[in-house]
Amino acid sequence: KGTADVIAAVERLRGEGIAIELDLIEGVPNAEAMRRLASADVIVDQLVLGWYGGLAVECMALGRPVVCHIDEGANPFGERLPIVRATAQTLTDVLRELAADPERRSRIGHEGRVFALAEHSPQQRRGRHRRQRSAGLACAPRGAQALVQQHFAHAWAGCGAAAAATCWTWSSRRS
């Protein structure tokens, strides 16, 4: 999912004098994971798969800004998706920009919460699934279905399965 890339980006930023705390969350109970996620300034979901998972949805619902690699060709939400796009190659720059702009982090966190509740609440998902099935459509348009099934098969539980999940957070600590 890009752990080495996240660690390398944080180390580069620390080398630039940016005080960043990396919290690698893995193998902890759900309550502990959620407490740590809720206190993070930014969550990095993944940098490899090209789509976000349950962890990103849970973090958006918490109002935390999420960074993730998104395959735009399979993104049914387009620019409406309030996830900060990054790849392993762009992560350092993306985190640097977010560290310098707390207002942007706050805005993205708010947009993410609104999006998660509108697009991923259980009631909304059931209604959308019924409408798409009755129209003869796949659940996720423009090719995202395969990506979603592949990724969510092992990740939909997100931090609900925190003992098996790996997620990254960072908090900027400016003096």
Side-chain angles (χ1 to χ4, degrees):
K1 289 171 67 168
T3 303
D5 297 314
V6 174
I7 292 169
V10 168
E11 288 175 358
R12 281 191 290 277
L13 293 171
R14 286 178 180 159
E16 295 175 11
I18 298 174
I20 290 183
E21 176 184 315
L22 175 64
D23 184 7
L24 179 60
I25 302 172
E26 58 186 351
V28 299
N30 182 332
E32 171 70 11
M34 295 306 286
R35 183 189 62 75
R36 289 162 61 182
L37 291 167
S39 70
D41 291 314
V42 173
I43 312 295
V44 179
D45 181 20
Q46 61 78 28
L47 301 171
V48 177
L49 297 175
W51 196 241
Y52 65 99
L55 169 69
V57 173
E58 289 184 3
C59 292
M60 285 189 287
L62 288 171
R64 311 313 321 148
V66 175
V67 175
C68 183
H69 168 57
I70 299 295
D71 176 356
E72 295 299 342
N75 175 3
F77 303 110
E79 290 299 314
R80 218 169 46 83
L81 179 63
I83 288 180
V84 180
R85 289 10 178 227
T87 64
Q89 295 75 30
T90 64
L91 183 62
T92 302
D93 292 334
V94 167
L95 292 179
R96 184 184 303 109
E97 292 167 8
L98 289 170
D101 196 343
E103 289 176 11
R104 180 176 178 220
R105 291 194 313 264
S106 179
R107 179 180 46 79
I108 293 167
H110 173 74
E111 291 170 0
R113 179 163 173 73
V114 169
F115 179 85
L117 295 175
E119 295 295 334
H120 293 290
S121 70
Q123 297 83 0
Q124 191 285 333
R125 291 181 59 80
R126 274 194 302 272
R128 182 175 62 208
H129 182 71
R130 272 191 234 119
R131 287 188 304 276
Q132 289 173 333
R133 273 199 341 204
S134 67
L137 300 173
C139 293
R142 294 196 319 219
Q145 173 96 13
L147 274 174
V148 169
Q149 286 176 341
Q150 174 188 14
H151 184 63
F152 289 143
H154 67 277
W156 178 246
C159 282
T166 300
C167 32
W168 312 273
T169 70
W170 68 267
S171 297
S172 60
R173 303 291 182 226
R174 294 185 181 265
S175 303

